[in-house]
Amino acid sequence: AFVTKDGACGTGFTFVVTEDGEAWSTGLNNVGQLGLGHVEDVLELQKFKCEWLVCNDPVVMLAAGGQHGAFVTKDGLVKAWGLGTSGQLGGGDERSHANPHAVPMHRFDEAPSFHVVMVACGSTHTIVLTNKHNVYSFGEATFGKLGYGGLDNMCVPTQVLCSAVHGSPATPLGNILMVSAGGHH
């Protein structure tokens, strides 16, 4: 039986995760947003290839953006794929990828004592939440949507900080339990 535990929809495409931690996708795929290693549209659900997943590390949740996606595995790894022109894949560049690529964990200040527990994708940005309740964002920064205090796109995960008073030192947000993203927010 095919029992899903999570799903997400992007612009013309759909992802699902089964109870067994398998990731599947279908739909529009012009920039590799299905994560299947090619750029042809798919009319029925296709399973992600094992070599792109850590096969002993099931997918626990996933997210879909405008033309990209990301998932979190049971061991707290995050991988992203699809359109990367604003840095929303978190790999340090603005390249697109048709198959899932690991978001380099060494880029996070907390490494190696943490893991990712949640991911959210907006149209052209990605947000992750760690088990330490810290938030990191990457991708397009217009309107300040990355929350780091600037308007420059970020191609690597950047910690979201806050300051109680303008000009005071910024500190981590604190006990964040969930992240979400929209088109431009």
Side-chain angles (χ1 to χ4, degrees):
F2 189 87
V3 181
T4 62
K5 72 172 184 178
D6 193 19
C9 297
T11 305
F13 62 99
T14 301
F15 300 131
V16 296
V17 174
T18 68
E19 282 185 330
D20 297 330
E22 296 175 336
W24 297 69
S25 60
T26 187
L28 179 67
N29 196 33
N30 60 316
V31 293
Q33 60 265 51
L34 295 183
L36 299 172
H38 59 78
V39 292
E40 289 115 29
D41 296 348
V42 175
L43 302 179
E44 57 187 42
L45 285 170
Q46 285 189 11
K47 185 176 165 182
F48 279 53
K49 294 182 180 178
C50 195
E51 63 263 24
W52 296 328
L53 305 172
V54 179
C55 291
N56 301 354
D57 190 13
V59 174
V60 295
M61 69 94 46
L62 47 68
Q67 292 182 297
H68 75 291
F71 63 68
V72 177
T73 68
K74 184 178 177 186
D75 287 343
L77 302 176
V78 62
K79 290 192 175 190
W81 62 91
L83 187 69
T85 56
S86 297
Q88 63 265 47
L89 302 185
D93 57 35
E94 295 181 339
R95 292 184 298 157
S96 299
H97 294 282
N99 56 317
H101 278 43
V103 176
M105 304 312 273
H106 68 274
R107 296 191 191 281
F108 293 106
D109 295 337
E110 303 172 45
S113 66
F114 81 105
H115 60 271
V116 174
V117 296
M118 182 175 276
V119 64
C121 297
S123 285
T124 53
H125 67 294
T126 304
I127 303 169
V128 298
L129 174 67
T130 73
N131 64 316
K132 304 286 188 177
H133 305 286
N134 288 321
V135 177
Y136 295 81
S137 61
F138 41 98
E140 184 182 30
T142 56
F143 311 113
K145 64 187 166 189
L146 294 184
Y148 74 90
L151 296 174
D152 293 328
N153 294 356
M154 301 303 287
C155 297
V156 296
T158 303
Q159 189 170 16
V160 178
L161 302 172
C162 69
S163 58
V165 178
H166 181 69
S168 67
T171 60
L173 293 174
N175 291 317
I176 304 300
L177 302 176
M178 186 174 135
V179 291
S180 180
H184 295 288
H185 60 287

